[in-house]
Amino acid sequence: MVDYNGRLGSVYAAGRAMPPAEIRRWTGAFAQHVPQVRPLDVLDLGSGVGRLTPGLAEEFQGQVYGVEPSDRMREAAEQAPHPGVTYLRGSAEDVPLPEASVDVVLMFLSFHHFTDQLQGLREVRRVLRPRGAALLRTQFTDLMPDLFWYEYFPSARAVDAAMYRSLADTKALAVEAGLVPADDVVRLQGETHRTLRERYERLSLRALSTFEHLPPDEVDAGFARFAEDAERDPDRQMPRYDATMLVLTRPR
């Protein structure tokens, strides 16, 4: 279990920050897969430091609830209040909202942290209104990109793969929870292009939970080589990877 009240919580905002244009790109992409009427009420489940939460309020024009179990992460989010956003202490397994209270649930890179994924999806179904949509933005073990920085940390790919389920397993779990998965996974544009130096500076904060599971000597050696390469060729443009998302709906 990753402790977001500890070191990771202290570096997450800096290491995973999104510029306004990137937030608008994500929320605009989400808008293509939910009901087109406005306003829509939204649950940002595992909202962390609120990277996307205010942007969801701007995009969908309804009330947005950011539910986050980490006190440290939630307190960081509350430092930038928004009139359309309410942050709540809670978890995926025990969402502090009434039944059928939101039109959209976003799970943005939070599903692999759920303690009980089946119960979490049952809670998603419970709080969704009929015909509502749940957007499961996650990795799948059978669709994972071959990230360039795995070269520096040989164990990282296996660590990441162990965090996730296959697409078929995820769909089966959603069906068991009473949700209807779309036939096809959605592929979205991932992070914007960054240089090797920018990638190093961002990753060196170790704001990815992957680094919590790697041997310290591997992390140290990997970042030493990474720093050397970033110093040698700082302006090299690094690849941008597609992101995967599964759309789930609550039937009537």
Side-chain angles (χ1 to χ4, degrees):
M1 181 68 67
V2 175
D3 180 13
Y4 281 97
N5 282 319
R7 186 203 68 82
L8 198 56
S10 68
V11 300
Y12 194 92
R16 305 295 292 278
M18 290 183 182
E22 190 168 349
I23 293 170
R24 289 192 296 270
R25 180 174 60 77
W26 278 114
T27 59
F30 299 149
Q32 305 305 308
H33 302 280
V34 303
Q36 295 304 298
V37 298
R38 299 292 184 272
L40 294 175
D41 297 323
V42 181
L43 165 61
D44 186 2
L45 186 53
S47 52
V49 296
R51 290 192 297 168
L52 289 166
T53 323
L56 295 170
E58 298 293 334
E59 179 70 44
F60 297 113
Q61 303 167 28
Q63 182 63 41
V64 177
Y65 304 95
V67 171
E68 170 58 44
S70 165
D71 294 337
R72 188 168 196 167
M73 302 274 274
R74 196 175 59 256
E75 288 164 5
E78 290 169 342
Q79 297 304 305
H82 186 287
V85 172
T86 301
Y87 291 105
L88 301 169
R89 183 178 187 177
S91 67
E93 297 77 21
D94 187 14
V95 176
L97 290 175
E99 184 171 354
S101 55
V102 296
D103 305 289
V104 179
V105 176
L106 174 65
M107 293 165 278
F108 192 90
L109 298 177
S110 60
F111 185 59
H112 58 292
H113 292 304
F114 291 7
T115 302
D116 183 334
Q117 291 179 326
L118 177 58
Q119 175 60 20
L121 290 175
R122 284 172 172 157
E123 279 289 88
V124 168
R125 186 193 187 283
R126 181 183 67 80
V127 300
L128 268 178
R129 293 172 180 143
R131 301 289 180 87
L135 307 177
L136 181 53
R137 160 68 190 108
T138 188
Q139 301 275 40
F140 301 98
T141 54
D142 47 340
L143 298 175
M144 287 179 57
D146 189 19
L147 302 176
F148 83 91
W149 55 267
Y150 287 161
E151 172 190 347
Y152 299 104
F153 309 99
S155 302
R157 182 177 179 84
V159 165
D160 278 353
M163 293 185 190
Y164 303 107
R165 292 177 175 268
S166 70
L167 178 60
D169 285 350
T170 305
K171 285 184 175 183
L173 203 67
V175 169
E176 187 175 352
L179 295 162
V180 179
D183 290 336
D184 297 321
V185 71
V186 176
R187 292 189 178 274
L188 304 170
Q189 178 184 311
E191 288 187 326
T192 55
H193 282 296
R194 290 190 171 92
T195 66
L196 182 58
R197 166 61 68 179
E198 290 169 334
R199 289 289 191 186
Y200 168 74
E201 290 176 348
R202 192 170 173 88
L203 282 169
S204 65
L205 294 171
R206 294 186 292 131
L208 295 176
S209 58
T210 305
F211 294 111
E212 301 295 294
H213 302 288
L214 296 180
D217 57 344
E218 181 177 331
V219 172
D220 293 341
F223 276 119
R225 289 197 300 117
F226 200 165
E228 290 175 1
D229 288 348
E231 182 68 25
R232 185 182 308 113
D233 192 9
D235 297 325
R236 190 202 320 171
Q237 291 290 311
M238 304 311 296
R240 181 171 60 190
Y241 306 95
D242 284 347
T244 48
M245 182 175 76
L246 184 61
V247 179
L248 312 170
T249 55
R250 174 179 172 172
R252 286 187 176 276

